[in-house]
Amino acid sequence: MEGKEEDVRLGANKYSERQPIGTAAQGSEDKDYKEPPPAPLFEPGELKSWSFYRAGIAEFMATFLFLYVTILTVMGYSGATSKCATVGIQGIAWSFGGMIFALVYCTAGISGGHINPAMTFGLFLARKLSLTRAVFYIIIMQCMGAICGAGVVKGFQQGLYMGNGGGANVVAPGYTKGSGLGAEIIGTFVLVYTVFSATDAKRNARDSHVPILAPLPIGFAVFLVHLATIPITGTSINPARSLGAAIIYNREHAWSDHWIFWVGPFIGAALAAVYHQVVIRAIPFKTKS
């Protein structure tokens, strides 16, 4: 009983805060989990592995399905004569968040379930995957999947698609380009930070259910960001999503702000990777007695 009373009395202050912080903490020997080694910068051997191409196919298919369902939802909202008869902005946000939840759940064990060049970029900065795989995912599989997904929507409903903006991301009237860029940076930060936290090796070691539930907070983060930023930029936080819609719609105004939907998400992803790796994740669970 004495030990238990001592625990209650000390509470959160039981363990000393005098412990290494920042990147220095990652070298600590007193850890309760096994730190995975950083991915090599270049991994030519991956190009000979079937699992490498299988992962790429999974990214292509997931991004294709993501664009197909979400752009169709946007078209249904934009083309309705009465907004009260549609899913509304909340329904669009649920469409994006729900698809990410489902697709991350389905593909996480194959490719990591990135479905987003900004997400891949952030994980690359954290040395979670090689440059070889990052380039393969971003330039080939994710972008091509997004283009094909938007293309199928246009093929099914060309008049509706071309008459309602094609789901392309633009900065809304009344907002500056700076506002749009800031919204994309912060929105992507929220998403990538959530992904890092939900898939942290330390949390996985302590709570076995964390990796199983990871798609839920990730999808919910996408939903919340869309609620906040749809009125500003239509919400991208995913350069492939913006690229696919812009290429298939291919109108001048869809390209005038397009740089925002690459620069913003990549900055947000980089900030989230640095914040999580250096500030949050670096503090170990255990301390030396």
Side-chain angles (χ1 to χ4, degrees):
M1 282 300 292
E2 253 180 58
K4 289 184 179 178
E5 287 172 4
E6 181 72 6
D7 285 349
V8 172
R9 185 177 65 81
L10 291 174
N13 297 318
K14 180 178 180 181
Y15 296 106
S16 169
E17 289 297 321
R18 292 194 295 273
Q19 54 187 337
I21 61 173
T23 53
Q26 295 179 7
S28 172
E29 307 249 341
D30 195 9
K31 296 180 179 178
D32 57 354
Y33 71 101
K34 182 175 176 59
E35 181 72 36
L41 188 59
F42 296 103
E43 186 63 37
E46 286 185 316
L47 299 175
K48 301 177 182 178
S49 168
W50 163 241
S51 64
F52 176 78
Y53 295 101
R54 183 183 65 168
I57 293 169
E59 285 293 308
F60 172 89
M61 184 57 67
T63 314
F64 168 83
L65 294 173
F66 178 63
L67 265 288
Y68 172 73
V69 171
T70 55
I71 297 298
L72 268 180
T73 305
V74 172
M75 291 301 95
Y77 169 77
S78 302
T81 54
S82 170
K83 301 305 179 188
C84 295
T86 67
V87 295
I89 288 179
Q90 294 91 341
I92 294 173
W94 276 120
S95 174
F96 279 87
M99 279 304 291
I100 288 296
F101 167 66
L103 293 170
V104 169
Y105 177 82
C106 292
T107 60
I110 303 171
S111 66
H114 300 185
I115 324 168
N116 184 337
M119 190 67 254
T120 301
F121 179 66
L123 290 169
F124 165 70
L125 291 181
R127 302 293 302 277
K128 303 294 185 184
L129 74 164
S130 67
L131 179 62
T132 312
R133 187 174 292 258
V135 170
F136 180 57
Y137 279 7
I138 294 173
I139 296 179
I140 302 176
M141 292 305 182
Q142 291 167 349
C143 288
M144 288 302 299
I147 293 167
C148 292
V152 170
V153 174
K154 180 180 177 181
F156 284 172
Q157 301 183 353
Q158 183 165 355
L160 180 66
Y161 184 85
M162 297 306 295
N164 290 282
N169 290 113
V170 296
V171 178
Y175 293 94
T176 65
K177 294 186 187 298
S179 297
L181 181 63
E184 289 296 313
I185 291 173
I186 296 172
T188 311
F189 181 94
V190 171
L191 169 60
V192 177
Y193 178 43
T194 302
V195 171
F196 272 107
S197 298
T199 59
D200 195 325
K202 291 181 178 181
R203 299 186 68 194
N204 293 353
R206 185 180 62 181
D207 302 316
S208 60
H209 67 277
V210 166
I212 299 172
L213 295 178
L216 183 59
I218 295 169
F220 199 62
V222 172
F223 165 71
L224 293 174
V225 170
H226 274 75
L227 283 183
T229 58
I230 281 176
I232 304 173
T233 61
T235 310
S236 172
I237 63 172
N238 184 334
R241 175 258 185 273
S242 297
L243 179 68
I247 286 178
I248 299 301
Y249 183 59
N250 199 26
R251 294 290 186 269
E252 184 179 352
H253 74 278
W255 292 108
S256 60
D257 298 331
H258 188 69
W259 64 273
I260 290 172
F261 306 111
W262 283 86
V263 175
F266 272 61
I267 292 175
L271 291 174
V274 171
Y275 176 69
H276 183 75
Q277 292 294 105
V278 176
V279 179
I280 301 299
R281 187 175 183 274
I283 300 175
F285 285 138
K286 289 185 177 179
T287 58
K288 294 180 180 180
S289 54

